[in-house]
Amino acid sequence: MMRRKLVAGNWKMNGSRAMLVELDAIAAAAGAAPGIDVSVAVPFTLIAAASERVPTLAIGAEDVHEAESGAHTGCVSASMVKEVGASFTIVGHSERRSDQHETSHDAWAKAAAAHKQGLNVILCCGETEAERDADRAERVVQAQIEKSVPDNADGSWFTLAYEPRWAIGTGRTPTLEEIAAIHAIARAKLRMLIGDKAAGVRILYGGSVTGANAASILDTPNVDGALVGGASLTAAKFVPIIEAAASL
């Protein structure tokens, strides 16, 4: 089954209104590549301004709370981010799992809440360096997928992202063979959970993706795009990744 490539940016806790100028060239590159999808998740404070500035570009949130409302000081719900212009959200990112101690159940609840509000979801999974060194990467990823993926997930709104935690922001990446192996395992696990619908779910790779390595990574079996962190902050670094995806 042919799946459209998706190149998704994640600004994390970076950005300002002044930096939104970078989205102009990113949106232009996305418009010049109609065969793929491009999206950018920005901090909550920039969602409204970003979606107004580049209405043709999919703008998303970096996280949402699982509740629709309530006494959750400092948290933001799916309906809130949708109201200000978000069309998708990331959930279960490795930095949420490590820094905020979120579990796979938390990621599942957030994905379900986001879908209920009509948001698309990018759900992340991935092992730590210690888990990979202990030959547990496959088991960790399978367990995270099993506990995080909603039963009604399908490719119309749901995307999975594999991001080995030890590769994020380090400049290190797994070998293409290692990436292919985990993506194949992820695809098989999705098939066990949601059946034939798994064929339509995109699986992204995330972890030190650059313009230099994007083409080879994105041409790897079962890699349907990239979740890009630091390189998405500037058009100069992000556009080459978009162009690499469009060239395949």
Side-chain angles (χ1 to χ4, degrees):
M1 181 176 183
M2 292 296 294
R3 294 175 292 271
R4 286 170 60 90
K5 297 290 188 185
L6 168 61
V7 178
N10 177 18
W11 279 19
K12 306 186 182 183
M13 199 175 72
N14 298 291
S16 63
R17 282 181 172 268
M19 281 183 59
L20 293 180
V21 67
E22 298 291 340
L23 296 179
D24 296 347
I26 291 171
I36 68 169
D37 296 324
V38 179
S39 61
V40 180
V42 297
F44 296 133
T45 56
L46 297 177
I47 292 173
S51 60
E52 291 170 5
R53 184 180 184 108
V54 285
T56 61
L57 186 65
I59 299 297
E62 298 171 4
D63 185 53
V64 293
H65 194 274
E66 61 268 26
E68 292 187 22
S69 61
H72 305 290
T73 301
C75 298
V76 179
S77 70
S79 61
M80 289 173 174
V81 300
K82 184 179 180 181
E83 183 179 42
V84 294
S87 60
F88 75 96
T89 185
I90 300 170
V91 299
H93 191 278
S94 63
E95 289 156 359
R96 299 291 307 182
R97 292 177 185 263
S98 60
D99 298 348
Q100 277 72 42
H101 310 293
E102 292 186 0
T103 66
S104 292
H105 178 77
D106 293 329
W108 170 85
K110 291 181 176 189
H115 177 53
K116 183 178 179 181
Q117 294 299 327
L119 294 176
N120 291 340
V121 172
I122 298 175
L123 188 148
C124 303
C125 63
E127 80 282 1
T128 65
E129 185 172 25
E131 289 166 339
R132 174 162 284 275
D133 289 344
D135 293 325
R136 296 183 59 233
E138 295 180 4
R139 283 176 287 169
V140 168
V141 169
Q142 287 177 316
Q144 288 176 347
I145 293 172
E146 182 174 355
K147 296 175 182 178
S148 299
V149 175
D151 293 340
N152 62 339
D154 67 64
S156 68
W157 65 274
F158 181 83
T159 297
L160 187 69
Y162 166 60
E163 42 166 26
R165 300 191 198 184
W166 50 272
I168 298 172
T170 64
R172 296 178 57 197
T173 57
T175 65
L176 296 179
E177 291 76 15
E178 289 171 334
I179 293 173
I182 294 292
H183 277 244
I185 288 167
R187 178 76 60 200
K189 190 64 177 180
L190 284 173
R191 193 175 300 114
M192 289 177 60
L193 294 173
I194 60 175
D196 292 342
K197 293 185 295 182
V201 174
R202 291 184 286 200
I203 305 178
L204 313 182
Y205 169 77
S208 297
V209 179
T210 67
N213 64 21
S216 58
I217 291 174
L218 295 175
D219 200 34
T220 300
N222 281 307
V223 177
D224 304 308
L227 180 58
V228 183
S232 69
L233 290 171
T234 65
K237 292 184 177 181
F238 196 45
V239 168
I241 300 173
I242 295 171
E243 293 173 341
S247 70
L248 298 174

